[in-house]
């Protein structure tokens, strides 16, 4: 039996976290670094992610930062190459980068749908493809690994004003399951899971409140926040640490028998 102290220890592991300049992505990178992983933080905002990594480095953590457009396949090749050649391998991928566009179905545009799919779904495909090529037996790293994809409760159930966004997050959920089964059956030793937060106290979470006002579920942002809190049995909006802790669990030895599942971080919202 693995000693308890080792269940969440990531010493010797290398992690790549996308969308890590702030919010959930930064919290995940911080939590993995605190568990002794070496972490590559990436974000389309190269300057901001460099500052985020510097804050972690100042606390004594082993981190690196690079700008990355997750819709660009060559940049995915470059990120994986950096992990393998400069950081010592690739054991963990956290596909966190994503965008939120609300509006009602009738108000959404084709351009919005295409952008959501490109950033939220195509980037997950690219991350899986290039990370798994390095992680699988015979790959550049070849020691297996873990992939966690950030989805949403909107990928599990219908929410007014979220149809376009929710469709992409539902795709992430099922993509995770298919990849988990495929990688397991092919002997890649790569576990894949998805995490489904409700509204979290981030800049993106604030956009959700505006969207609830737009579709008529609340008169203003303050009342929209109350609507969200009323939907959550635990009675509060989630914090980024709540999500980061779930991600740490899914990439740690503590979850070694878990793959193809969705871990819901919603204060009980979807339980009823």
């Amino acid at each position: 039996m693995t000693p308890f102290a080792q269940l969440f220890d990531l010493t010797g592991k290398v992690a790549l976290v996308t969308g890590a300049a702030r919010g959930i992505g930064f919290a995940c990178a911080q939590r993995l670094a605190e568990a002794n992983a070496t972490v590559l933080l990436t974000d389309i905002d190269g300057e901001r992610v460099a500052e985020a990594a510097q804050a972690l480095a100042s606390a004594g953590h082993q981190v690196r930062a690079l700008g990355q457009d997750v819709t660009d396949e060559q940049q995915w090749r470059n990120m994986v190459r950096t992990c393998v050649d400069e950081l010592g391998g690739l054991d963990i991928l956290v596909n966190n980068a994503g965008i939120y566009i609300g509006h009602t179905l009738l108000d959404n545009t084709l351009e919005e749908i295409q952008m959501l799919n490109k950033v939220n779904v195509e980037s997950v495909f690219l991350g899986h493809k290039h990370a798994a090529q390095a992680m699988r037996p015979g790959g550049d790293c070849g020691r297996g690994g873990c992939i966690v994809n950030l989805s949403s409760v909107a990928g599990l159930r219908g929410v007014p004003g979220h149809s376009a966004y929710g469709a992409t997050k539902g795709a992430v959920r099922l993509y995770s399951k298919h990849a988990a089964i495929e990688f397991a059956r092919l002997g890649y030793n790569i576990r894949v899971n998805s995490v489904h937060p409700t509204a979290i106290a981030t800049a993106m979470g604030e956009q959700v409140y505006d969207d609830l006002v737009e579709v008529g579920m609340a008169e203003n942002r303050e009342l929209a926040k109350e609507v969200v809190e009323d939907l959550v049995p635990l009675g509060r909006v989630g914090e980024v640490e709540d999500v980061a802790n779930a991600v740490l669990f899914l990439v740690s030895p503590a979850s070694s028998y878990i793959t193809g599942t969705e871990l819901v971080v919603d204060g009980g919202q979807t339980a009823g």
Side-chain angles (χ1 to χ4, degrees):
M1 180 178 293
T2 303
F4 181 79
Q6 297 178 18
L7 288 177
F8 297 95
D9 185 9
L10 301 179
T11 299
K13 304 295 185 181
V14 177
L16 167 57
V17 182
T18 67
R22 60 181 181 174
I24 291 173
F26 176 74
C28 289
Q30 181 176 21
R31 189 61 84 234
L32 300 188
E34 289 171 344
N36 300 316
T38 298
V39 184
L40 173 61
L41 293 78
T42 77
D43 199 281
I44 197 165
D45 188 338
E47 182 176 346
R48 188 162 187 166
V49 78
E51 293 172 355
Q54 182 56 48
L56 295 181
S58 297
H61 300 304
Q62 298 298 311
V63 297
R64 172 88 182 273
L66 288 173
Q68 181 190 10
D69 177 351
V70 292
T71 69
D72 185 314
E73 184 165 19
Q74 184 56 51
Q75 291 191 37
W76 270 107
R77 294 189 183 98
N78 295 343
M79 297 306 112
V80 172
R81 191 80 264 149
T82 296
C83 288
V84 173
D85 291 348
E86 300 181 26
L87 302 182
L90 180 59
D91 306 282
I92 297 165
L93 169 63
V94 180
N95 271 317
N96 168 73
I99 60 172
Y100 169 79
I101 300 175
H103 312 314
T104 65
L105 190 150
L106 298 184
D107 289 331
N108 277 131
T109 66
L110 179 60
E111 290 75 18
E112 288 174 338
I113 300 293
Q114 292 170 334
M115 178 60 70
L116 280 163
N117 275 286
K118 190 172 185 65
V119 178
N120 293 356
V121 182
E122 291 181 21
S123 70
V124 170
F125 157 69
L126 292 172
H128 280 74
K129 178 178 179 179
H130 293 287
Q133 285 178 340
M135 292 175 174
R136 68 179 180 175
D140 289 335
C141 185
R143 56 194 185 215
C146 302
I147 298 175
V148 175
N149 301 311
L150 269 294
S151 182
S152 166
V153 294
L156 298 172
R157 64 190 299 180
V159 181
H162 285 63
S163 60
Y165 172 76
T168 64
K169 291 304 185 177
V172 170
R173 171 182 177 266
L174 282 179
Y175 199 95
S176 302
K177 291 181 178 295
H178 284 279
I181 296 298
E182 182 173 309
F183 292 170
R185 294 296 189 190
L186 294 177
Y188 287 179
N189 191 29
I190 300 172
R191 296 189 295 110
V192 184
N193 295 287
S194 58
V195 173
H196 299 253
T198 185
I200 302 296
T202 63
M204 187 178 290
E206 292 292 324
Q207 294 179 46
V208 174
Y209 302 144
D210 292 335
D211 202 48
L212 291 177
V213 174
E214 179 182 326
V215 300
M217 292 184 65
E219 293 183 4
N220 53 53
R221 180 181 285 191
E222 290 70 27
L223 290 176
K225 184 175 181 180
E226 292 181 12
V227 169
V228 172
E229 291 174 344
D230 286 343
L231 291 172
V232 179
L234 289 185
R236 68 172 176 86
V237 173
E239 302 292 339
V240 292
E241 291 82 7
D242 297 318
V243 184
N245 292 338
V247 170
L248 173 60
F249 168 68
L250 288 174
V251 303
S252 72
S255 65
S256 62
Y257 199 57
I258 298 176
T259 193
T261 194
E262 64 251 11
L263 180 50
V264 184
V265 185
D266 70 348
Q269 183 179 347
T270 58

